[in-house]
């Protein structure tokens, strides 16, 4: 009996303290507003590219997938999916998507560069050099990152001996929208 009375006293004592911390609901019914389906959605391609810039590769894949549902599989969408997979380190998937992207006539030099970097990273040096040359030509020699990547690939080709220390010193980094290059890691 005493336990029940103590429990009731504790309950009565704590209820006023709990009620003070609650806030009143906002809006008509206290819930967040719904989605306005009358407005036009932002293009999934734009969202995907912004997410790539923010290094949110999983979310970018989702955005490019939504864009593909609306627009079909275009070269830009293949390139975006390939860049997102490259950012996630999924080199095999990235290579497949980037190869499909360059089949389109309007493939950007950055797409060719990304494919070259994937091939370089997977050990396909001769093909990587040719792809990077094509990327450099498509950019009219104006893209410094592509030029640096081509120089690096050519330097790697001139080396006849495999040196695991050199491989440890290189890192694949993103520089710009959907553009990757090799950089020498700092000690």
């Amino acid at each position: 009996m005493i336990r029940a009375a103590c429990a009731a006293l504790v309950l009565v004592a704590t209820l006023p303290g709990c009620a003070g911390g609650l806030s009143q609901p906002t809006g008509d019914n206290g819930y967040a507003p719904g989605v306005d389906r009358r407005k036009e959605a932002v293009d999934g391609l734009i969202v995907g590219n912004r997410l790539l810039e923010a290094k949110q590769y999983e979310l970018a894949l989702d955005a490019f997938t939504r864009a593909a549902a609306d627009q079909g599989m275009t070269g830009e969408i293949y390139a975006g999916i390939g860049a997102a997979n490259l950012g996630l380190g999924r080199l095999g998937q990235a290579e497949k998507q980037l190869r499909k992207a360059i089949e389109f006539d309007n493939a950007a030099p950055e797409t060719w560069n990304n494919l070259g970097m994937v091939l370089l990273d997977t050990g396909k040096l001769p093909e990587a050099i040719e792809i990077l040359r094509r990327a450099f030509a498509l950019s009219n020699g104006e893209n410094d990152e592509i030029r640096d990547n081509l120089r690096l690939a050519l330097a790697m080709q001139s080396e006849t001996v495999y040196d695991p220390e050199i491989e440890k010193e290189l890192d694949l980094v993103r520089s710009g929208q959907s553009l990757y290059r090799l950089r020498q890691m700092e000690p």
Side-chain angles (χ1 to χ4, degrees), residues 11-181:
L11 182 62
V12 171
T14 57
L15 283 178
C18 291
L22 296 177
S23 62
Q24 293 297 321
T26 57
D28 293 344
N29 57 8
Y31 295 105
V35 176
D36 186 1
R37 300 203 187 275
R38 293 174 289 168
K39 291 190 177 183
E40 180 115 2
V42 178
D43 183 15
L45 204 57
I46 293 170
V47 173
N49 286 328
R50 288 179 181 168
L51 288 167
L52 279 179
E53 287 177 25
K55 297 183 180 181
Q56 297 293 322
Y57 304 117
E58 287 289 345
L59 295 174
L61 278 175
D62 292 341
F64 287 123
T65 303
R66 282 192 304 275
D70 292 338
Q71 304 171 18
M73 291 301 289
T74 65
E76 288 180 272
I77 292 174
Y78 276 123
I81 292 172
N85 279 320
L86 179 58
L88 291 169
R90 301 173 183 162
L91 299 181
Q93 292 175 6
E95 181 180 349
K96 289 177 188 175
Q97 299 302 324
L98 292 169
R99 284 189 188 276
K100 289 179 182 178
I102 64 169
E103 290 175 3
F104 290 83
D105 292 333
N106 59 348
E110 291 82 8
T111 304
W112 287 88
N113 178 66
N114 289 345
L115 177 59
M117 297 314 294
V118 168
L119 294 172
L120 194 62
D121 203 36
T122 56
K124 300 173 184 170
L125 186 60
E127 186 180 8
I129 290 171
E130 290 306 311
I131 295 290
L132 289 169
R133 281 186 178 149
R134 180 90 181 252
F136 186 66
L138 286 172
S139 71
N140 294 325
E142 296 176 1
N143 191 312
D144 293 335
E145 284 97 11
I146 295 175
R147 181 182 317 122
D148 292 342
N149 290 340
L150 178 59
R151 283 183 186 159
L152 180 63
L154 291 170
M156 290 175 72
Q157 183 183 32
S158 66
E159 294 176 7
T160 56
V161 178
Y162 173 75
D163 187 2
E165 293 303 315
I166 292 176
E167 182 178 320
K168 290 179 186 175
E169 295 174 7
L170 298 177
D171 190 22
L172 186 64
V173 294
R174 180 173 181 171
S175 61
Q177 178 180 350
S178 301
L179 188 64
Y180 292 84
R181 64 184 178 93

